[in-house]
Amino acid sequence: MVAWSLCALALGLAVSPHIGDVLGARIQSPHIRLPSDAAQRRQDVKDIFDTSWDAYKKLAFPHDDLTPISESFTDGRNGWGASAVDALSTLVRGQFGAIFEEIVNFTSHIDFSISHTTDTVSIFETTIRYLAGMLSAFEISGKKYPALVKQAEILGNKLSESFINGNKIPFGELDFNTSTPVIQTSNIAEAGTLTLEWSRLAKYSGNDTFRALAEGAVRQIASLPAPIPAFPAQGIDPSTGESVGAYVTWGGGSDSYLEYLIKYARITNTDDNLFADTWHTAVDSSIHTLLRQSTVGNHTYLADLDDSRTIRHIGSHLACFMAGNWIMGGKLLNNNTIVNIGLALNEGCWNTYASTATGIGPEAFGYISSDGGFTGSNDPSAGDLAFYDRNGFYILSGSTDYFMRPEVLESNFYAWRATGDAKFFERAAAATKSFATFLKTPTVAFAPIDDVDSTDSDFIDDMESFWFAEVLKYLYLTFDDPNHFSLDEFVFNTEAHPFIAPPEKPVYGSGKLRPASDFEPFKTTQGPLPLVSFSPKLPNKIPN
């Protein structure tokens, strides 16, 4: 029943009215027409940005994040000014000229040789926020600020110390003050999400070691025996380079490893098909093993596969990036089936926004498909089932919050740029309105909320840097001239920092799946795993 319904899904999508827009090595539709209210929608986003930035600058700068309710700050990213550096590629636009110059000057004088807190340094988070923020800003500002490359090289040299003893996989956390990695297991997202940033650093620093280290980690992960073809287990042990556990997910802990496989192929135009073919095979495996449709509403989701090879019928805000990634990758592979399933996944993710009282989606959700509704946690309550019967999903217990994440709006942006369908523009406008209404605090700026299905939710006292780097950027670009940061001319890292891409190839990958002979039989090795989407400072929930 599952296989038949998914086949019908693919056939039904194959007659999409946007077929002419979703095929070819170019990603963007040539037929995008901005609605007449686009200028006002851009101003709406800029108003939110200005309010947020002014509060951060007044109350938190040069610290990492603003705590809007307590009108103070937190240093969860080692005290280097995460919100400022992460905002650089957003501030580079003309209307922020004076602010951009100020933050470039600030960034040029950060001491990256030590952590300014007692926390260890996350190789992954530091790469995607700080390293990418500096290199992207250098590149898209016309390479006018070489101090940004110098700072990135200092930081990159320190981060490189996470590779020790000839290991191909970096340890995920590093004590900067002693240059000592924390010896513990990692995950494929932490280890496999360095290639875009470190290859750019190699280019501008002239030190190809950065590229070699990052690319070597991905090659190691891509070579591993896997629970399903070309889709490695979430956990990995840097000491051995081998998998830990057998958990398979497009969510946190695996997500950006998969994301960067196709993005690295695009940004390098490499003739080595390993990256595109591995991505293609992992997607194909996901279609055959993980793809599900809800029994209510026929919404399309990607399930998880746990260590016991049991399907878990769960989705998450973090995992919703995959819709945009499939749209992008499907276009680059000239594979219409992947593009259309990506569009269907985007519909499922947007439904989690459209179905709540605030118009904002939750951190994680469950659903029921023809093969059941097991989530790995408690059975849904009567209230959950009633919600499911109305909406085709239900919010998992303990996951009612919205932590100002970008992924649903990120995929909506890709869908808009790939098809030009005005419904995606309108969805971004609806989200902007919801943010202005329900995230606005009684104190300053905007904050996460504890319950997306309550119009009177408590707040969470932390405005993370990706609010500036990702959420507001993706919204603004949805309303902007599609020739600005065209998806055919730029590749965005997982923190929405754009890098200039070379002219596209006719197609990416060989067009073939990786053969089973590429892999040894998979055997599960158990071990502890790091927290996914770890927040060094757990924010307090503040009553509204």
Side-chain angles (χ1 to χ4, degrees):
M1 179 63 183
V2 173
W4 181 90
S5 64
L6 294 179
C7 179
L9 167 69
L11 291 172
L13 289 171
V15 295
S16 162
H18 298 293
I19 279 298
D21 294 345
V22 296
L23 281 178
R26 293 183 69 82
I27 299 168
Q28 288 204 175
S29 168
H31 308 302
I32 300 173
R33 298 291 180 269
L34 285 174
S36 58
D37 62 341
Q40 181 57 54
R41 301 289 79 79
R42 291 195 297 274
Q43 187 60 48
D44 292 343
V45 177
K46 188 174 183 300
D47 289 345
I48 294 174
F49 185 97
D50 289 345
T51 299
S52 301
W53 181 262
D54 289 347
Y56 166 72
K57 191 66 168 43
K58 177 182 178 181
L59 299 168
F61 180 78
H63 297 277
D64 287 343
D65 294 337
L66 171 71
T67 50
I69 307 302
S70 56
E71 299 183 66
S72 186
F73 61 83
T74 181
D75 279 321
R77 294 296 165 205
N78 305 101
W80 292 320
S83 288
V85 181
D86 217 3
L88 274 170
S89 68
T90 304
L91 293 168
V92 77
R93 297 188 60 83
Q95 65 266 42
F96 297 118
I99 301 174
F100 177 71
E101 294 277 353
E102 178 189 5
I103 301 305
V104 167
N105 182 63
F106 160 74
T107 304
S108 300
H109 293 89
I110 297 171
D111 183 0
F112 282 119
S113 67
I114 61 170
S115 172
H116 296 176
T117 71
T118 58
D119 298 318
T120 55
V121 173
S122 165
I123 308 305
F124 165 73
E125 295 287 358
T126 305
T127 292
I128 67 172
R129 302 192 199 208
Y130 289 108
L131 203 65
M134 291 187 285
L135 292 171
S136 173
F138 168 73
E139 197 170 85
I140 64 180
S141 64
K143 303 178 183 177
K144 297 177 182 178
Y145 306 95
L148 294 174
V149 174
K150 181 180 179 181
Q151 288 287 75
E153 187 173 8
I154 292 170
L155 183 56
N157 281 328
K158 289 290 289 187
L159 295 173
S160 297
E161 291 169 344
S162 60
F163 291 86
I164 61 170
N165 302 327
N167 292 352
K168 295 180 180 179
I169 301 298
F171 287 97
E173 297 284 328
L174 185 69
D175 184 332
F176 254 40
N177 299 339
T178 64
S179 300
T180 306
V182 180
I183 308 302
Q184 61 184 17
T185 52
S186 186
N187 58 57
I188 60 173
E190 288 185 350
T193 309
L194 309 176
T195 48
L196 267 63
E197 299 84 358
W198 289 38
S199 63
R200 270 306 195 256
L201 180 56
K203 174 181 179 180
Y204 293 125
S205 69
N207 183 355
D208 194 55
T209 299
F210 294 118
R211 178 208 58 81
L213 287 172
E215 190 176 297
V218 172
R219 291 182 181 278
Q220 172 64 19
I221 297 169
S223 73
L224 291 172
I228 60 177
F231 201 135
Q234 182 186 55
I236 192 165
D237 184 351
S239 297
T240 64
E242 300 298 324
S243 295
V244 177
Y247 201 90
V248 171
T249 179
W250 280 84
S254 300
D255 45 8
S256 47
Y257 160 74
L258 299 158
E259 175 187 357
Y260 272 32
L261 287 171
I262 193 63
K263 287 186 173 181
Y264 189 62
R266 174 65 185 92
I267 202 168
T268 61
N269 275 354
T270 177
D271 291 327
D272 186 342
N273 290 326
L274 172 73
F275 306 98
D277 286 356
T278 301
W279 182 87
H280 184 188
T281 308
V283 167
D284 184 78
S285 299
S286 300
I287 292 172
H288 285 92
T289 306
L290 307 180
L291 198 63
R292 294 293 185 275
Q293 285 182 279
S294 62
T295 57
V296 172
N298 290 322
H299 299 294
T300 303
Y301 302 118
L302 285 178
D304 287 1
L305 184 69
D306 69 19
D307 286 357
S308 67
R309 299 194 62 82
T310 302
I311 285 290
R312 295 194 179 193
H313 301 76
I314 56 176
S316 68
H317 205 294
L318 283 167
C320 278
F321 89 94
M322 47 49 180
N325 190 241
W326 285 39
I327 292 168
M328 173 188 179
K331 297 274 269 185
L332 296 180
L333 269 59
N334 292 330
N335 188 312
N336 185 57
T337 297
I338 294 175
V339 173
N340 279 330
I341 295 176
L343 290 168
L345 289 166
N346 186 65
E347 294 297 305
C349 286
W350 176 254
N351 181 56
T352 67
Y353 271 54
S355 302
T356 68
T358 61
I360 303 171
E363 181 75 356
F365 56 91
Y367 54 88
I368 301 168
S369 63
S370 60
D371 61 337
F374 177 74
T375 64
S377 55
N378 294 333
D379 291 339
S381 67
D384 292 335
L385 292 175
F387 188 98
Y388 175 79
D389 287 341
R390 295 192 301 272
N391 303 304
F393 77 98
Y394 63 93
I395 302 172
L396 291 177
S397 177
S399 298
T400 59
D401 57 298
Y402 172 66
F403 202 57
M404 304 176 96
R405 296 198 189 279
E407 292 80 14
V408 173
L409 299 172
E410 172 186 353
S411 286
N412 186 73
F413 166 69
Y414 278 86
W416 161 245
R417 287 286 184 90
T419 69
D421 190 326
K423 72 181 180 182
F424 301 118
F425 182 100
E426 296 305 324
R427 288 173 179 178
T432 303
K433 183 177 180 181
S434 290
F435 291 163
T437 302
F438 297 109
L439 304 188
K440 184 69 180 73
T441 74
T443 48
V444 298
F446 300 81
I449 53 175
D450 183 50
D451 186 356
V452 296
D453 204 37
S454 169
T455 58
D456 191 30
S457 173
D458 295 344
F459 290 104
I460 300 173
D461 195 17
D462 190 8
M463 189 177 74
E464 279 258 16
S465 68
F466 46 70
W467 177 244
F468 295 119
E470 299 187 76
V471 178
L472 299 180
K473 183 187 283 116
Y474 281 127
L475 284 172
Y476 191 93
L477 290 179
T478 302
F479 305 139
D480 200 11
D481 182 339
N483 293 316
H484 293 164
F485 293 101
S486 165
L487 292 175
D488 295 317
E489 298 173 0
F490 292 86
V491 174
F492 289 78
N493 91 323
T494 197
E495 191 81 0
H497 294 301
F499 292 110
I500 298 172
E504 72 280 352
K505 295 166 60 174
V507 68
Y508 290 79
S510 67
K512 300 177 182 178
L513 303 178
R514 290 183 62 188
S517 58
D518 278 5
F519 306 97
E520 296 292 331
F522 178 75
K523 297 179 181 179
T524 302
T525 301
Q526 296 299 333
L529 294 173
L531 294 174
V532 171
S533 190
F534 169 57
S535 179
K537 176 181 179 298
L538 183 63
N540 295 320
K541 296 177 182 179
I542 309 297
N544 186 344

